[in-house]
Amino acid sequence: MRVVFLVPSYPSSGNQVGGIFHKFQAEALRRLHVELEVIAPCPWVPPFLSRMTKKMGCYAACPRLELVNGIPVHRPRYFATPRQLAWGFPHLALSLALRGCTVNRPDLIHAHFAYPEGLVATRLAHRWGAPVVLSLHGSDVHTLPLANSWSRRRFCTAVSSVSEAIAVSEYLSDAAQQLCGRRPIVIPNGINLDRFAALPTQREARMCLALPMDIPVVLFVGSLVKAKGILDLLAALGAVQSQRSVCGVFVGAGPEANAIRSAPFAIMAGSVANDLIPVYMAAADLLVLPSHAEGLGIVLVEAGAAGLPVIGTRVGGMPELLAEDRGLLVSPRAPQELEAAILDTILNPLMAKARAGRLQRYVVEQHDVNMSARRLLAIYRQALGEGPAFN
């Protein structure tokens, strides 16, 4: 079976925090003998802009074609504009860019995110005569369709036009059904559990990362933007600091980096290689994801695999993941609740460890990337008319 993945492009394949699940999923499908190529359209960067910001420099330096663990990754350039998802025409720009993309004609297209990738995939389906499977991941459901009626129509067109639709959480599946009347199949994102099988001790990890040895470490991993609750977490950590010494470690990049640098109790780790994420988790006492909106919260899944206590907000798929006392949940935009949850985790380590153990068992049972790949393969066969309906 020959499959093309159509995914958003990230500035660097080897130094990104977001989107690693695409890579793990592709590698797991390849182990099931799926012949896979990835198309990750990349914004075109004028030469003078490539030197102005690190992000633009990374985009400019991205190779147009590279082999990542044996999987060809194509990055055709397209013309990007500000606020293009809500008000622009990125699906037309991407469609134009893909005309010059030389991939083998696939049996099936798997698009990740409804817009623009899903809508572009429906156009490619006519060109290649191949069915489309669409995965919904988060902001493409709970944010973009609510921007305006135009965005909602684009979302509904993409979801309604594909052969099979998938959501990574029950929450997203319910939301998609409410928006356009179609309920996607739920297949949670899988992770590579092997990355968390032989972690260093907390002391070894802290020595490796030059982190404080004698105070609790609260970890955040993700984009450093307001929507991820960065300012809420800083406020909560500041309140905790007045009662007990604590260190917040922030892994990622974004506009709130300066606020983190100015906090005396916080360490700005910046963007790090994905191979280092498990080491940071081994070094921490807990991980917090205080997002205002979230599809699933894959970093919580990874923390669960690492056996790390977690705190999340009651948004998106996080209540599903942390149900049955697998973690602590707080309201979004509620620093006082977050402060109390952080203190509870620090002051009651045995209870926190028990919650982490329940989450770890759940992650092993539900989020193994190899299991997710087998379920995806069944979806592919159904879309191609080669297998029974998926249950």
Side-chain angles (χ1 to χ4, degrees), residues 22-274:
H22 295 137
K23 178 176 179 288
F24 292 153
Q25 197 172 84
E27 291 170 349
L29 286 166
R30 189 168 179 265
R31 289 193 290 272
L32 294 175
H33 309 293
V34 174
E35 187 179 337
L36 196 72
E37 291 188 72
V38 176
I39 303 177
C42 186
W44 171 73
V45 179
F48 68 91
L49 276 182
S50 65
R51 294 183 292 272
M52 293 183 68
T53 69
K54 182 178 179 181
K55 183 177 181 179
M56 290 297 103
C58 288
Y59 275 132
C62 277
R64 291 179 179 268
L65 175 63
E66 68 175 327
L67 211 60
V68 180
N69 291 347
I71 299 173
V73 178
H74 304 262
R75 292 194 180 87
R77 268 36 178 189
Y78 71 98
F79 185 73
T81 59
R83 295 185 57 80
Q84 62 178 0
L85 291 181
W87 300 103
F89 301 89
H91 64 291
L92 298 181
L94 263 62
S95 297
L96 184 63
L98 293 183
R99 289 182 182 178
C101 191
T102 56
V103 300
N104 294 315
R105 182 174 178 176
D107 300 307
L108 180 140
I109 306 162
H110 186 170
H112 292 264
F113 294 91
Y115 187 81
E117 290 78 15
L119 206 56
V120 172
T122 62
R123 291 169 169 251
L124 290 175
H126 294 292
R127 170 178 159 188
W128 286 330
V132 176
V133 171
L134 172 63
S135 284
L136 305 175
H137 290 279
S139 59
D140 54 339
V141 181
H142 60 61
T143 300
L144 188 61
L146 307 182
N148 51 56
S149 59
W150 196 4
S151 295
R152 179 168 178 162
R153 283 197 300 271
R154 288 170 166 176
F155 172 84
C156 291
T157 298
V159 173
S160 302
S161 301
V162 300
S163 298
E164 301 291 345
I166 298 167
V168 300
S169 69
E170 293 286 350
Y171 159 77
L172 290 179
S173 183
D174 291 342
Q177 185 176 32
Q178 292 173 9
L179 284 165
C180 60
R182 181 175 188 175
R183 181 175 177 80
I185 297 165
V186 177
I187 301 181
N189 276 331
I191 63 169
N192 184 353
L193 296 174
D194 292 342
R195 299 172 71 218
F196 305 91
L199 295 177
T201 66
Q202 186 177 82
R203 181 175 180 81
E204 291 169 342
R206 291 192 184 187
M207 289 180 65
C208 173
L209 301 170
L211 296 179
M213 302 296 292
D214 55 350
I215 60 174
V217 169
V218 178
L219 180 65
F220 173 90
V221 178
S223 298
L224 306 181
V225 296
K226 287 183 180 179
K228 289 290 185 180
I230 297 297
L231 299 183
D232 304 327
L233 180 52
L234 287 173
L237 288 173
V240 170
Q241 181 73 12
S242 68
Q243 305 174 59
R244 183 184 177 110
S245 294
V246 68
C247 176
V249 176
F250 292 78
V251 175
E256 301 306 325
N258 287 335
I260 295 165
R261 292 189 185 98
S262 65
F265 47 80
I267 292 175
M268 177 65 199
S271 297
V272 305
N274 274 297

Side-chain angles (χ1 to χ4, degrees), residues 247-306:
C247 176
V249 176
F250 292 78
V251 175
E256 301 306 325
N258 287 335
I260 295 165
R261 292 189 185 98
S262 65
F265 47 80
I267 292 175
M268 177 65 199
S271 297
V272 305
N274 274 297
D275 289 344
L276 271 180
I277 299 299
V279 182
Y280 274 94
M281 290 182 174
D285 291 280
L286 68 151
L287 180 137
V288 181
L289 183 60
S291 299
H292 301 165
E294 195 73 47
L296 174 63
I298 197 68
V299 71
L300 292 182
V301 177
E302 294 186 318

Side-chain angles (χ1 to χ4, degrees), residues 315-336:
V315 299
M318 284 194 274
E320 300 168 38
L321 181 65
L322 303 185
E324 300 179 5
D325 201 23
R326 292 189 285 264
L328 295 181
L329 286 165
V330 299
S331 303
R333 302 179 178 87
Q336 289 183 335

